[in-house]
Amino acid sequence: MLSLSWVFLWLIAGGKIKGFNTSDCSTGKLLRTYSARCGEEFVLFCDFPEPQKSHFYHRSQLSPTQSSEHLPCSGSKNLSDVQWYLQPPNRDPLVEITQNYPHVIQDKSTLHFLTTEMNNAGSYICRPRIRSPKDEACCVKMILEVKPKTNMSCGSSISHEQLLLLGSMGSIYCPGLSHQNDTQSPEVTWYQNGKLLSEKRRNPIEVDDVYDYHQGTYVCDYIQSDNSSLWTVRAVVRVKTIVKNTNLKPDILDPIKDTLEVELGKPLTLNCTARFGFEINFKPVIRWYVKDSDQEWEVPTPEGRSVKSTLKNEVIERVVFLKEVTQSDLRRKFICFAQNSIGNTTQSIQLKEKKGDEKEFDAFISCGKWSSLESGATSSLSEENLALSLFPEVLENKYGYTLCLLERDVAPGGVYAEDIVSIIKKSRRGIFILSPSYVSGPSVFELQAAVNIALEDQTLKLILIKFSSFQEPESLPPLVKKALRVLPTVTWRGFKSVPPNSRFWTQIRYHMPVKSSKGFTWNHLRVIPRIFSLEKTQ
Amino acid sequence: MAAEPVEDNCISFVEMKFINNTLYFVAENDEDLESDYFGKLEPKFSVIRNLNDQVLFINQETQPIFEDMPDSDCSDNAPQTIFIICMYKDSLTRGLAVTISVHYKKICTLSCKNKILSFKEMSPPDNIDDEGSDIIFFQRSVPGHDDKIQFESSLYKGYFLACKKENDLFKLILKKKDENGDKSVMFTVQNKK
């Protein structure tokens, strides 16, 4: 009967939070922390009193009022999932500390305060989230007092962020305890990342040889007595392990070369990447400057950003973007400047226009000497007509290329062989109209000369036109025979091929150089060099 | 007579551009693709010690043991104390990939298969076609202690070569590194020659 009425009352009294009688909680500690309002962290551990000897407890931490008989916590291991509550100092109701509670994060059973404010004071209660019937009354209460440190400004006393130099000796100091000699300093309980450091009981912790595992969040507790009670004073220290400051200037990893080939009128991105050694007070500088004759000024560009950060180095990148490369940009020097506390480094870049190949002709046309006896039906176009009329009409007049025809463009009186070599060298392409009369006639010398020149000059490319079928004479030089097998070939199909928009001309134009900027070749199509390679053996 | 394509020169097309009534294809640039593998580079001949300066050597039963040894004994006991550390080129960047071998009677290479260390009778191969191997370890220096080395298994992440005392012997084992500070996984490597 009685129990029923208890439940009834409890349900009426319940508000948003399922209240429970916090006065039954074993009072774990009276905690005090000093806050200089410098954004210090704080932690609360949920230490359930254990029936037997504890792994979590240091003997001095047990509150004197605690009696060992009333230990409602069963000591089972599942108590890591706990729920925290705050009983504010005034008569306000119990507050459950959930994920949204400002400036407080719960990490397993520990409550982390990201900053310590006066309004954090109060009674904190923790109890397991999943409770077996015997754990129902298991809870711990701790009273937190936040005392202001008014006579100290931020950073004047021992810091809550301390650095240890890897490979050296170091010490971790408990903030709030000034440097006292051993006889006067109280016994200190240290925790690292929530685990009790049972061997460390003094202030400061001396580390003989600093390793990266010494890094972490340390908590130091010591006892302070009031007239009436014993308070545990707690502070939190973030310890970071670092390497020593670099003694080197920064290193510019990119750009390396002094010049860069660019295209006028196109956009350009200049990237400067510099590597900086570690420094505690790291103030890296990375900038782009422009130097134009005597004047030098900084280029306004988005801030540098860190692209790689390791223990010893940081790599920072800063980019200059030019919407359009202008003539005046070609006269200027772009200088990347990187600086740290040791010194500075620079790397300058001169922009250069991508040069054309200084060749006079887009293509040189070679054909067999016409003989009316060998041409087929007179109604079809002869190879000489193809070379001397149709090619100029289509490629020069319609498509704007510059051709070289021996018969048309070379002044008489010179040495034939020398003339041929000279005009081949001045041409970007060589076009050879192959037929029986070509391969067995004198003109095949032109093909041979062109093949030899093309082996030296990578920019000269040769195109074969299969005007009519022929048999390769045995007497042809081996190099020419190989050329006939590997060079690109376009087949002439008589009248079908005549119109300028025929497949024949489309294929020819595919092999012709790009006319736009001074013979700068179009390098999108890597297909050509890979498939048709003169040097590869079959 | 027509030009023939060169052998094994297949091209994948990744992009098309339509310009002036003609469709052009852009070939794939696959020059940077590599399959996952380890490729062997040069070997180093080294003496390996734990942080107590005990020297690693291979005993009569081909077991790796640590023992106190003055330098003169150390050279006298060669080749049992000389370990051949072969470096491998890694297709991913995870640290210096190495195999550890020793030439005592036969060439044997350290393997951590099933997390148990043993010296297998084999030479370090020229290539290993896999991301992880029982004979490949990542050799890295301890942060801030450039002279101290750790060897992590490429097959079992988080497991390192370590020195463990078993009865009266100090043995080389594979263990999961203790996060709170573990010096048993640290060694010094002294290169000979």
Side-chain angles (χ1 to χ4, degrees):
Chain A
M1 260 302 281
L2 260 175
S3 55
L4 272 174
S5 56
W6 264 116
V7 167
F8 182 65
L9 263 175
W10 181 62
L11 282 172
I12 290 174
K16 280 187 194 167
I17 292 146
K18 260 204 286 199
F20 63 99
N21 201 348
T22 61
S23 54
D24 275 349
C25 288
S26 49
T27 302
K29 283 198 187 72
L30 301 176
L31 283 159
R32 176 182 282 169
T33 188
Y34 289 94
S35 164
R37 288 166 178 262
C38 299
E40 304 100 335
E41 286 174 76
F42 189 73
V43 298
L44 284 176
F45 299 122
C46 185
D47 297 324
F48 291 119
E50 289 209 351
Q52 314 95 347
K53 63 128 177 80
S54 69
H55 301 287
F56 307 109
Y57 260 73
H58 194 249
R59 287 177 73 238
S60 63
Q61 290 167 5
L62 274 173
S63 159
T65 57
Q66 177 100 28
S67 64
S68 49
E69 289 128 30
H70 303 296
L71 287 176
C73 295
S74 60
S76 73
K77 294 180 200 93
N78 253 343
L79 303 179
S80 58
D81 191 11
V82 303
Q83 209 157 9
W84 282 94
Y85 300 88
L86 165 63
Q87 176 83 65
N90 43 29
R91 300 297 181 100
D92 284 349
L94 198 66
V95 176
E96 185 180 337
I97 298 176
T98 56
Q99 272 183 336
N100 304 322
Y101 199 89
H103 307 297
V104 171
I105 293 177
Q106 182 174 343
D107 175 19
K108 298 201 192 127
S109 65
T110 305
L111 204 59
H112 281 267
F113 293 77
L114 302 176
T115 55
T116 317
E117 304 289 337
M118 300 300 291
N119 60 13
N120 288 135
S123 293
Y124 287 85
I125 297 106
C126 69
R127 64 171 182 164
R129 218 180 278 269
I130 302 160
R131 297 179 290 279
S132 59
K134 54 187 159 117
D135 282 335
E136 199 47 52
C138 173
C139 59
V140 182
K141 180 178 358 187
M142 50 207 90
I143 299 167
L144 174 63
E145 198 179 73
V146 180
K147 290 200 140 189
K149 234 197 252 179
T150 47
N151 53 346
M152 300 232 202
S153 55
C154 268
S156 63
S157 55
I158 293 165
S159 168
H160 291 258
E161 277 181 14
Q162 295 175 22
L163 301 173
L164 292 176
L165 190 60
L166 285 165
S168 307
M169 289 175 25
S171 309
I172 304 173
Y173 295 91
C174 185
L177 283 180
S178 49
H179 303 266
Q180 298 159 331
N181 48 24
D182 272 336
T183 50
Q184 286 182 15
S185 69
E187 197 174 284
V188 177
T189 306
W190 287 98
Y191 299 82
Q192 179 187 0
N193 300 330
K195 278 185 70 165
L196 174 73
L197 299 176
S198 38
E199 303 94 33
K200 312 284 182 193
R201 291 167 191 216
R202 288 264 162 260
N203 177 48
I205 294 182
E206 303 284 0
V207 183
D208 287 329
D209 201 0
V210 177
Y211 281 83
D212 58 344
Y213 53 76
H214 288 114
Q215 185 160 291
T217 304
Y218 287 76
V219 173
C220 57
D221 286 351
Y222 62 92
I223 306 288
Q224 204 177 62
S225 74
D226 255 352
N227 289 333
S228 47
S229 30
L230 290 177
W231 288 87
T232 301
V233 182
R234 173 173 291 171
V236 175
V237 183
R238 269 218 187 248
V239 172
K240 190 160 183 263
T241 53
I242 54 167
V243 293
K244 63 180 197 292
N245 282 348
T246 186
N247 55 357
L248 299 171
K249 297 190 296 187
D251 223 338
I252 295 185
L253 304 174
D254 184 39
I256 312 171
K257 295 199 215 152
D258 293 329
T259 57
L260 182 68
E261 283 197 347
V262 298
E263 275 180 76
L264 269 185
K266 295 266 169 75
L268 179 70
T269 304
L270 285 174
N271 186 10
C272 182
T273 308
R275 182 175 55 202
F276 295 80
F278 175 81
E279 281 182 283
I280 292 177
N281 290 320
F282 187 48
K283 296 194 182 79
V285 171
I286 183 167
R287 294 184 194 132
W288 275 103
Y289 288 93
V290 171
K291 188 166 177 180
D292 195 339
S293 50
D294 286 330
Q295 289 186 317
E296 198 173 299
W297 66 93
E298 187 182 341
V299 182
T301 138
E303 287 289 317
R305 61 185 191 106
S306 172
V307 295
K308 186 175 171 188
S309 189
T310 64
L311 197 61
K312 293 186 182 168
N313 291 305
E314 184 139 341
V315 178
I316 301 179
E317 200 179 79
R318 193 159 186 184
V319 160
V320 163
F321 179 66
L322 299 170
K323 274 217 304 216
E324 225 179 88
V325 176
T326 61
Q327 277 292 344
S328 42
D329 288 328
L330 296 181
R331 285 194 310 266
R332 296 171 175 156
K333 271 200 174 148
F334 288 81
I335 303 169
C336 176
F337 174 85
Q339 186 182 67
N340 64 2
S341 68
I342 310 294
N344 62 48
T345 332
T346 56
Q347 172 69 46
S348 71
I349 300 187
Q350 177 84 50
L351 300 181
K352 270 194 181 167
E353 206 183 341
K354 272 192 176 124
K355 289 197 77 183
D357 52 15
E358 286 160 350
K359 288 192 175 173
E360 216 178 300
F361 304 105
D362 287 317
F364 152 70
I365 317 282
S366 168
C367 67
K369 302 302 159 254
W370 180 71
S371 161
S372 59
L373 297 169
E374 285 173 23
S375 69
T378 46
S379 57
S380 65
L381 195 64
S382 73
E383 56 205 85
E384 211 164 24
N385 271 332
L386 172 60
L388 303 181
S389 318
L390 198 57
F391 260 89
E393 195 183 304
V394 177
L395 288 184
E396 286 187 322
N397 298 346
K398 176 125 174 103
Y399 293 113
Y401 291 102
T402 312
L403 299 180
C404 178
L405 304 162
L406 185 65
E407 298 75 3
R408 183 189 73 178
D409 301 312
V410 181
V415 176
Y416 169 68
E418 285 175 11
D419 284 339
I420 289 298
V421 169
S422 162
I423 57 182
I424 292 173
K425 284 189 176 171
K426 285 190 209 161
S427 303
R428 299 182 185 105
R429 300 287 182 270
I431 298 180
F432 304 87
I433 301 175
L434 303 180
S435 65
S437 68
Y438 188 96
V439 294
S440 46
S443 306
V444 78
F445 166 77
E446 293 170 15
L447 176 58
Q448 185 178 3
V451 166
N452 282 311
I453 294 169
L455 286 172
E456 296 287 320
D457 177 5
Q458 300 290 330
T459 64
L460 171 64
K461 293 178 178 30
L462 307 179
I463 307 158
L464 306 178
I465 312 279
K466 188 179 165 193
F467 184 78
S468 50
S469 305
F470 59 90
Q471 275 244 339
E472 258 183 50
E474 267 310 303
S475 55
L476 277 184
L479 200 60
V480 175
K481 283 191 188 172
K482 198 201 279 192
L484 291 175
R485 282 206 303 277
V486 302
L487 289 177
T489 308
V490 182
T491 308
W492 172 257
R493 299 188 194 276
F495 272 124
K496 264 204 322 191
S497 300
V498 170
N501 59 359
S502 69
R503 188 148 179 268
F504 175 81
W505 293 111
T506 305
Q507 288 180 295
I508 296 288
R509 282 164 58 222
Y510 170 81
H511 291 294
M512 289 295 280
V514 170
K515 287 173 275 114
S516 48
S517 43
K518 288 192 188 172
F520 167 65
T521 47
W522 194 0
N523 58 11
H524 285 303
L525 303 163
R526 292 187 215 96
V527 175
I528 306 174
R530 277 211 234 156
I531 295 182
F532 307 119
S533 166
L534 197 60
E535 290 90 19
K536 285 218 163 124
T537 48
Q538 283 295 83
Chain B
M1 211 284 288
E4 284 157 27
V6 181
E7 284 130 358
D8 44 67
N9 210 347
C10 298
I11 300 163
S12 304
F13 292 128
V14 294
E15 207 188 316
M16 297 191 297
K17 287 183 200 287
F18 198 72
I19 300 162
N20 284 346
N21 293 326
T22 307
L23 189 62
Y24 292 97
F25 290 93
V26 179
E28 179 184 10
N29 180 3
D30 61 358
E31 281 151 11
D32 298 327
L33 291 180
E34 285 180 338
S35 54
D36 291 332
Y37 77 106
F38 292 110
K40 187 158 96 174
L41 303 169
E42 342 79 71
K44 282 209 168 91
F45 298 87
S46 319
V47 172
I48 301 174
R49 293 180 175 84
N50 63 16
L51 289 198
N52 291 325
D53 263 337
Q54 291 174 313
V55 175
L56 179 68
F57 73 102
I58 194 128
N59 69 5
Q60 308 280 0
E61 293 91 35
T62 348
Q63 276 190 317
I65 305 287
F66 288 90
E67 221 174 66
D68 291 305
M69 214 185 277
D71 286 345
S72 50
D73 285 358
C74 185
S75 357
D76 289 344
N77 284 329
Q80 283 160 280
T81 51
I82 305 287
F83 288 88
I84 306 160
I85 300 183
C86 277
M87 296 183 283
Y88 282 75
K89 193 163 76 132
D90 187 4
S91 62
L92 309 163
T93 42
R94 292 170 286 174
L96 184 63
V98 300
T99 53
I100 301 172
S101 309
V102 68
H103 190 14
Y104 175 57
K105 299 175 192 169
K106 296 156 280 214
I107 294 196
C108 301
T109 300
L110 187 65
S111 156
C112 66
K113 198 151 197 168
N114 298 323
K115 298 180 185 164
I116 297 169
L117 285 190
S118 64
F119 270 93
K120 287 205 284 196
E121 197 181 308
M122 64 179 281
S123 251
D126 287 332
N127 281 296
I128 299 170
D129 285 320
D130 215 338
E131 268 180 32
S133 160
D134 63 318
I135 60 172
I136 292 264
F137 298 87
F138 292 115
Q139 175 179 326
R140 293 190 198 96
S141 62
V142 175
H145 295 251
D146 295 335
D147 53 337
K148 299 183 181 95
I149 310 285
Q150 293 173 128
F151 295 91
E152 183 180 9
S153 163
S154 66
L155 199 55
Y156 305 110
K157 201 168 166 204
Y159 283 77
F160 290 75
L161 293 184
C163 173
K164 183 175 177 189
K165 185 168 181 190
E166 240 175 69
N167 305 320
D168 286 326
L169 287 179
F170 292 89
K171 290 171 136 188
L172 183 71
I173 59 158
L174 189 79
K175 75 180 258 208
K176 196 162 196 270
K177 184 171 160 185
D178 187 1
E179 282 165 0
N180 295 324
D182 196 345
K183 291 196 190 171
S184 69
V185 300
M186 299 180 194
F187 303 95
T188 55
V189 176
Q190 180 193 10
N191 294 327
K192 294 285 180 191
K193 216 173 17 161

